[in-house]
Amino acid sequence: MTTSIEQYNNYQSPEEQKICQQLAEIIHQNLPEAESKIWHAHPVWFLDGNPIVGYSKLKSGIRLLFWSGVSFEEKDLQPGTGKFKDASINFTTIQQINQSDLNRWLQKSKDIQWDYKNIVKRKGVLERLK
C-alpha cells in the first residue's frame, strides 16, 4: 500500500480506518499487479491504466466502488446513477465486509472491464475491454 493511501486511511475515524485498512489489504491480496494511488482524492487501483476499484468516505460510510460493477451482476452491489457501469456497496462497520464476496468481486473486476482509461478520447462512449 502506498504512503498516500495509508495517510488517507489514517485521516478517517477509528472505525472507518479499520474498514479502509481491511479493504486495502484484501484489494492488494487480490490485485497484486495493480497500480494503487490517490486519484480524485480517493484510493483507486488500476490495471493497465484503467480504474478498477476504489473506496471513498461518504456521510453514509465507506463506499467501495467498482468501475465495471454493474456488469458483475451481483445483488449486493448497487448500480451508480448515470450512463457509466459502476456499482458500489457502503460499509459502516468492519463486520459488514464479507471477504468471500469481496474476493469474488475483485476477480470479476479483472475479468470484466469497461475502458474508462479512454473515455474522454471516445467522447464519453464506453467500450468493453474484457
Side-chain angles (χ1 to χ4, degrees):
M1 182 177 2
T2 66
T3 303
S4 58
I5 291 176
E6 284 183 41
Q7 289 172 342
Y8 177 92
N9 294 349
N10 291 337
Y11 186 72
Q12 309 310 317
S13 72
E15 185 64 28
E16 291 165 341
Q17 285 180 27
K18 293 176 192 174
I19 295 167
C20 291
Q21 184 65 31
Q22 182 74 18
L23 291 174
E25 289 174 9
I26 295 170
I27 293 168
H28 181 71
Q29 289 169 0
N30 282 273
L31 300 173
E33 71 279 21
E35 173 193 7
S36 60
K37 62 183 177 182
I38 299 295
W39 190 54
H40 297 286
H42 307 289
V44 177
W45 282 257
F46 298 80
L47 292 175
D48 298 321
N50 200 37
I52 300 300
V53 63
Y55 55 84
S56 59
K57 164 76 172 108
L58 301 177
K59 287 182 182 178
S60 59
I62 300 298
R63 176 181 67 166
L64 177 67
L65 181 128
F66 293 92
W67 267 256
S68 301
V70 166
S71 299
F72 300 175
E73 297 180 352
E74 292 279 348
K75 66 178 175 64
D76 291 330
L77 294 177
Q78 300 303 308
T81 58
K83 61 183 178 178
F84 300 116
K85 307 290 183 187
D86 62 298
S88 63
I89 185 170
N90 283 354
F91 301 107
T92 55
T93 68
I94 194 168
Q95 291 79 17
Q96 293 171 325
I97 299 172
N98 180 315
Q99 186 161 352
S100 63
D101 286 347
L102 187 48
N103 291 341
R104 184 177 65 254
W105 300 336
L106 289 165
Q107 182 58 50
K108 287 184 176 186
S109 76
K110 289 193 274 190
D111 298 338
I112 301 170
Q113 292 183 38
W114 290 85
D115 187 6
Y116 284 94
K117 178 176 148 183
N118 295 304
I119 195 167
V120 172
K121 183 168 53 174
R122 291 199 183 98
K123 298 181 180 11
V125 175
L126 277 175
E127 289 186 9
R128 180 103 180 235
L129 291 174
K130 297 179 178 187

